[in-house]
């Protein structure tokens, strides 16, 4: 059970605009081959944690001031986002972030931009994405901006898959989607984890769903991990039930 971590985040602090301390020493780890949930209310710091890992904060005038991020045994906190993608760790942003004016297929192909292997391998992976997301094959020529919210979320995950990731940082995949679609997307996440050996760090406000698919969870509150444990234990924890599962 004590699988080697593929990712560990050690005591990171993040400051926005030189003054606002948003993460106050967050530590977490994701075992190789695992699905780990990062839970918490709106504004708790989930997105900031993922962006800190991907090194995407600089563009927003946020910075990691303390702590280390280790991916596959190497410290990566000083790497560019693209270098991290090349090494196999990629973030799928909240809100889907497709190129609305491009076709679904062109969106998927943009995900291969860091690869140095050939067209044949890239086309094989495109086929693999369509096998996981049959809806995207049907919609391949449609302008992404005119596809449904669920299809855009699938396109965003599919695009990440085109970089051949070992790990995906998935930000709020359930946001704005009907329950049945949420389930459909989490089922695909589970299959990708099992069949393609992709590890996931999953930021979610939908604690209930996330804890059904994750093995382990961390709960963030105001930039601190206030509770962590096996998903099963969190699901039955009275405080978690009261504050995060809405079962009071
Ligand atoms: P969400 O569900 O909105 O994604 P979250 O848990 O991911 O919530 P963050 O987006 O990480 O939370 O935000 C954490 C805190 O940092 C919030 O108080 C937010 O207002 C603040 N914050 C986020 N982005 C910035 C920014 N670019 N500049 C300044 N403050 C920010």
């Amino acid at each position: 059970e004590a699988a080697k971590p593929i990712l560990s985040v050690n005591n990171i602090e993040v400051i926005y605009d030189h003054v606002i301390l948003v993460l106050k020493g967050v530590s977490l780890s994701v075992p190789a081959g695992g699905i780990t949930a990062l839970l918490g209310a709106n504004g708790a710091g989930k997105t900031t944690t993922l962006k800190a890992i991907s090194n995407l904060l600089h563009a927003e005038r946020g910075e990691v001031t303390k702590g280390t991020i280790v991916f596959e045994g190497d410290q990566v906190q000083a790497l560019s986002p693209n270098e991290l993608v090349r090494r196999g760790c990629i973030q799928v942003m909240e809100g889907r972030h497709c190129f609305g004016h491009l076709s679904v297929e062109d969106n998927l192909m943009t995900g291969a931009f860091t690869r140095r292997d050939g067209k044949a391998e890239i086309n094989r992976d495109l086929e693999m994405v369509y096998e996981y997301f049959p809806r995207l094959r049907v919609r391949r020529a449609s302008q992404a901006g005119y596809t449904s919210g669920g299809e855009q979320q699938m396109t965003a995950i599919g695009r990440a898959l085109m970089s051949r990731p070992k790990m995906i940082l998935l930000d709020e995949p359930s946001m704005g989607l009907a329950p049945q679609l949420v389930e459909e997307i989490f089922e695909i996440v589970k299959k990708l984890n099992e069949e393609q050996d992709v590890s996931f760090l999953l930021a979610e406000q939908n604690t209930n769903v996330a804890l059904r698919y994750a093995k382990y969870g961390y709960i963030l509150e105001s930039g601190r991990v206030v509770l962590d444990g096996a998903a099963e234990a969190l699901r039955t924890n009275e405080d978690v039930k009261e504050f995060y599962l809405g079962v009071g």
Side-chain angles (χ1 to χ4, degrees):
E1 266 277 282
K4 246 177 83 175
I6 185 167
L7 174 79
S8 52
V9 171
N10 309 300
N11 204 26
I12 56 168
E13 283 187 356
V14 168
I15 289 185
Y16 279 121
D17 288 328
H18 306 289
V19 286
I20 312 157
L21 184 60
V22 175
L23 297 188
K24 301 162 185 165
V26 168
S27 298
L28 59 86
S29 78
V30 180
I35 301 179
T36 297
L38 183 59
L39 306 165
N42 194 0
K46 304 181 296 298
T47 298
T48 301
T49 303
L50 297 193
K51 285 183 178 165
I53 296 166
S54 301
N55 221 338
L56 290 170
L57 284 175
H58 189 69
E60 304 185 0
R61 300 193 296 153
E63 54 173 337
V64 178
T65 59
K66 213 179 110 181
T68 58
I69 295 158
V70 178
F71 181 69
E72 290 200 305
D74 296 325
Q75 289 204 15
V76 296
Q77 65 272 9
L79 297 183
S80 71
N82 286 357
E83 178 55 26
L84 199 59
V85 172
R86 242 176 246 122
R87 289 181 185 220
C89 182
I90 189 164
Q91 180 165 349
V92 176
M93 303 270 214
E94 183 177 7
R96 298 145 202 156
H97 284 276
C98 293
F99 300 107
H101 59 290
L102 294 183
S103 70
V104 166
E105 184 154 300
D106 286 345
N107 266 277
L108 295 175
M109 291 305 280
T110 64
F113 79 103
T114 53
R115 289 173 63 161
R116 291 167 176 151
D117 51 357
K119 211 168 162 32
E121 286 88 348
I122 290 172
N123 283 333
R124 197 190 54 214
D125 287 342
L126 183 64
E127 190 54 35
M128 184 261 294
V129 169
Y130 286 143
E131 273 161 34
Y132 281 97
F133 298 102
R135 281 168 181 249
L136 296 187
R137 191 195 298 278
V138 176
R139 302 289 263 146
R140 67 202 295 171
S142 307
Q143 222 177 306
Y146 291 109
T147 63
S148 72
E151 287 161 350
Q152 288 184 33
Q153 182 65 68
M154 291 175 190
T155 300
I157 297 172
R159 185 176 62 198
L161 286 173
M162 291 301 292
S163 71
R164 300 204 127 251
K166 298 169 185 164
M167 158 145 230
I168 295 179
L169 310 170
L170 188 52
D171 198 357
E172 211 91 47
S174 78
M175 197 174 69
L177 300 183
Q180 195 188 329
L181 256 173
V182 171
E183 219 60 54
E184 195 178 317
I185 283 171
F186 274 79
E187 282 298 326
I188 293 167
V189 164
K190 185 178 161 194
K191 274 176 74 179
L192 290 168
N193 173 253
E194 291 171 356
E195 298 171 3
Q196 303 292 324
D197 202 28
V198 181
S199 306
F200 283 88
L201 180 59
L202 196 69
E204 259 301 341
Q205 278 189 64
N206 191 333
T207 304
N208 211 344
V209 176
L211 288 179
R212 274 194 286 113
Y213 287 89
K215 272 222 174 92
Y216 202 88
Y218 292 85
I219 297 181
L220 273 183
E221 221 176 85
S222 311
R224 286 198 176 83
V225 174
V226 291
L227 190 63
D228 67 291
E232 192 50 44
L234 292 179
R235 284 210 295 163
T236 53
N237 178 301
E238 290 304 321
D239 291 336
V240 175
K241 275 192 197 166
E242 182 171 353
F243 294 110
Y244 299 101
L245 296 179
V247 199

Short mmCIF file of all heavy atoms in Angstrom, two decimals, residues 16-17 20 22 40-49 60 94 171-172 205, ligand 1:
data_model
loop_
_atom_site.label_atom_id
_atom_site.label_comp_id
_atom_site.label_asym_id
_atom_site.label_seq_id
_atom_site.Cartn_x
_atom_site.Cartn_y
_atom_site.Cartn_z
N TYR A 16 0.39 35.91 -3.24
CA TYR A 16 -0.07 36.68 -4.41
C TYR A 16 0.24 38.15 -4.19
O TYR A 16 0.06 38.67 -3.09
CB TYR A 16 -1.58 36.52 -4.61
CG TYR A 16 -1.99 35.24 -5.31
CD1 TYR A 16 -2.84 34.34 -4.70
CD2 TYR A 16 -1.52 34.94 -6.59
CE1 TYR A 16 -3.23 33.17 -5.34
CE2 TYR A 16 -1.90 33.78 -7.24
CZ TYR A 16 -2.76 32.89 -6.61
OH TYR A 16 -3.14 31.75 -7.25
N ASP A 17 0.68 38.79 -5.26
CA ASP A 17 0.90 40.25 -5.21
C ASP A 17 1.78 40.69 -4.05
O ASP A 17 1.56 41.76 -3.48
CB ASP A 17 -0.45 40.99 -5.12
CG ASP A 17 -1.20 40.93 -6.43
OD1 ASP A 17 -0.54 40.89 -7.47
OD2 ASP A 17 -2.45 40.90 -6.39
N ILE A 20 -0.40 38.73 -0.16
CA ILE A 20 -1.46 37.85 0.32
C ILE A 20 -0.97 36.42 0.42
O ILE A 20 -0.70 35.77 -0.59
CB ILE A 20 -2.68 37.91 -0.64
CG1 ILE A 20 -3.03 39.36 -0.96
CG2 ILE A 20 -3.87 37.16 -0.04
CD1 ILE A 20 -3.81 39.53 -2.26
N VAL A 22 -1.55 32.90 0.52
CA VAL A 22 -2.70 32.09 0.14
C VAL A 22 -2.53 30.62 0.53
O VAL A 22 -3.46 29.98 0.99
CB VAL A 22 -2.98 32.22 -1.36
CG1 VAL A 22 -4.10 31.29 -1.77
CG2 VAL A 22 -3.35 33.64 -1.71
N GLY A 40 -12.08 20.91 -0.71
CA GLY A 40 -12.20 22.15 0.04
C GLY A 40 -13.16 23.10 -0.66
O GLY A 40 -13.45 22.95 -1.84
N ALA A 41 -13.63 24.08 0.09
CA ALA A 41 -14.61 25.03 -0.44
C ALA A 41 -13.95 25.96 -1.46
O ALA A 41 -12.72 26.03 -1.56
CB ALA A 41 -15.21 25.83 0.70
N ASN A 42 -14.80 26.67 -2.15
CA ASN A 42 -14.38 27.72 -3.06
C ASN A 42 -13.43 28.68 -2.34
O ASN A 42 -13.75 29.19 -1.29
CB ASN A 42 -15.66 28.45 -3.48
CG ASN A 42 -15.45 29.35 -4.65
OD1 ASN A 42 -14.33 29.44 -5.16
ND2 ASN A 42 -16.50 30.01 -5.07
N GLY A 43 -12.24 28.87 -2.91
CA GLY A 43 -11.29 29.82 -2.31
C GLY A 43 -10.35 29.22 -1.28
O GLY A 43 -9.50 29.92 -0.73
N ALA A 44 -10.45 27.92 -1.04
CA ALA A 44 -9.60 27.28 -0.03
C ALA A 44 -8.14 27.19 -0.46
O ALA A 44 -7.24 27.08 0.37
CB ALA A 44 -10.13 25.89 0.30
N GLY A 45 -7.92 27.21 -1.80
CA GLY A 45 -6.54 27.16 -2.30
C GLY A 45 -6.23 25.97 -3.19
O GLY A 45 -5.08 25.70 -3.49
N LYS A 46 -7.27 25.29 -3.67
CA LYS A 46 -7.05 24.10 -4.50
C LYS A 46 -6.38 24.45 -5.82
O LYS A 46 -5.37 23.85 -6.20
CB LYS A 46 -8.39 23.38 -4.77
CG LYS A 46 -9.15 23.00 -3.52
CD LYS A 46 -10.45 22.28 -3.84
CE LYS A 46 -11.48 23.10 -4.60
NZ LYS A 46 -11.97 24.31 -3.86
N THR A 47 -6.97 25.43 -6.50
CA THR A 47 -6.41 25.83 -7.80
C THR A 47 -5.00 26.37 -7.64
O THR A 47 -4.11 26.06 -8.44
CB THR A 47 -7.32 26.90 -8.45
OG1 THR A 47 -8.60 26.32 -8.67
CG2 THR A 47 -6.76 27.38 -9.77
N THR A 48 -4.79 27.13 -6.60
CA THR A 48 -3.45 27.68 -6.35
C THR A 48 -2.44 26.56 -6.13
O THR A 48 -1.30 26.64 -6.62
CB THR A 48 -3.49 28.63 -5.14
OG1 THR A 48 -4.41 29.69 -5.42
CG2 THR A 48 -2.12 29.22 -4.86
N THR A 49 -2.84 25.52 -5.42
CA THR A 49 -1.93 24.39 -5.21
C THR A 49 -1.56 23.74 -6.54
O THR A 49 -0.38 23.47 -6.81
CB THR A 49 -2.59 23.34 -4.27
OG1 THR A 49 -2.94 23.98 -3.05
CG2 THR A 49 -1.64 22.18 -3.99
N GLU A 60 0.47 35.04 -12.95
CA GLU A 60 -0.59 35.73 -12.20
C GLU A 60 -0.02 36.54 -11.05
O GLU A 60 -0.74 36.89 -10.12
CB GLU A 60 -1.55 34.72 -11.59
CG GLU A 60 -2.15 33.82 -12.60
CD GLU A 60 -3.18 32.92 -11.99
OE1 GLU A 60 -3.43 33.01 -10.77
OE2 GLU A 60 -3.75 32.14 -12.74
N GLU A 94 -9.26 24.46 -14.68
CA GLU A 94 -10.66 24.65 -14.34
C GLU A 94 -11.34 25.43 -15.49
O GLU A 94 -10.73 26.31 -16.09
CB GLU A 94 -10.69 25.49 -13.06
CG GLU A 94 -12.03 25.76 -12.50
CD GLU A 94 -11.94 26.54 -11.18
OE1 GLU A 94 -10.84 26.97 -10.79
OE2 GLU A 94 -12.98 26.70 -10.56
N ASP A 171 -8.37 20.02 -12.49
CA ASP A 171 -9.01 21.03 -11.65
C ASP A 171 -10.52 21.07 -11.88
O ASP A 171 -10.98 21.46 -12.96
CB ASP A 171 -8.39 22.41 -11.94
CG ASP A 171 -8.68 23.40 -10.81
OD1 ASP A 171 -9.40 23.03 -9.86
OD2 ASP A 171 -8.19 24.54 -10.89
N GLU A 172 -11.25 20.64 -10.89
CA GLU A 172 -12.72 20.78 -10.84
C GLU A 172 -13.43 20.25 -12.10
O GLU A 172 -14.19 20.99 -12.72
CB GLU A 172 -13.03 22.27 -10.70
CG GLU A 172 -14.29 22.57 -9.93
CD GLU A 172 -14.05 22.76 -8.44
OE1 GLU A 172 -13.13 23.48 -8.04
OE2 GLU A 172 -14.80 22.14 -7.69
N GLN A 205 -14.67 20.42 -5.57
CA GLN A 205 -15.60 20.86 -4.52
C GLN A 205 -16.65 19.79 -4.27
O GLN A 205 -17.28 19.75 -3.23
CB GLN A 205 -16.31 22.14 -4.96
CG GLN A 205 -15.47 23.38 -4.71
CD GLN A 205 -16.28 24.64 -4.96
OE1 GLN A 205 -17.25 24.91 -4.27
NE2 GLN A 205 -15.88 25.40 -5.96
P1 LIG B 1 -11.90 27.63 -6.62
O1 LIG B 1 -12.97 26.68 -6.35
O2 LIG B 1 -12.38 29.01 -6.90
O3 LIG B 1 -10.93 27.18 -7.65
P2 LIG B 1 -9.78 27.24 -4.81
O4 LIG B 1 -9.89 26.41 -3.60
O5 LIG B 1 -9.14 26.61 -5.98
O6 LIG B 1 -11.17 27.78 -5.22
P3 LIG B 1 -7.93 29.37 -5.19
O7 LIG B 1 -8.45 29.71 -6.54
O8 LIG B 1 -6.66 28.62 -5.12
O9 LIG B 1 -9.01 28.56 -4.38
O10 LIG B 1 -7.83 30.69 -4.36
C1 LIG B 1 -7.31 30.75 -3.05
C2 LIG B 1 -7.31 32.18 -2.57
O11 LIG B 1 -6.38 32.96 -3.35
C3 LIG B 1 -8.64 32.89 -2.69
O12 LIG B 1 -8.82 33.66 -1.54
C4 LIG B 1 -8.50 33.77 -3.90
O13 LIG B 1 -9.26 34.92 -3.78
C5 LIG B 1 -7.02 34.09 -3.89
N1 LIG B 1 -6.50 34.26 -5.27
C6 LIG B 1 -6.62 33.39 -6.28
N2 LIG B 1 -6.00 33.83 -7.39
C7 LIG B 1 -5.47 35.02 -7.09
C8 LIG B 1 -4.69 36.00 -7.81
N3 LIG B 1 -4.33 35.78 -9.07
N4 LIG B 1 -4.31 37.12 -7.15
C9 LIG B 1 -4.66 37.31 -5.87
N5 LIG B 1 -5.38 36.46 -5.13
C10 LIG B 1 -5.78 35.32 -5.72
#
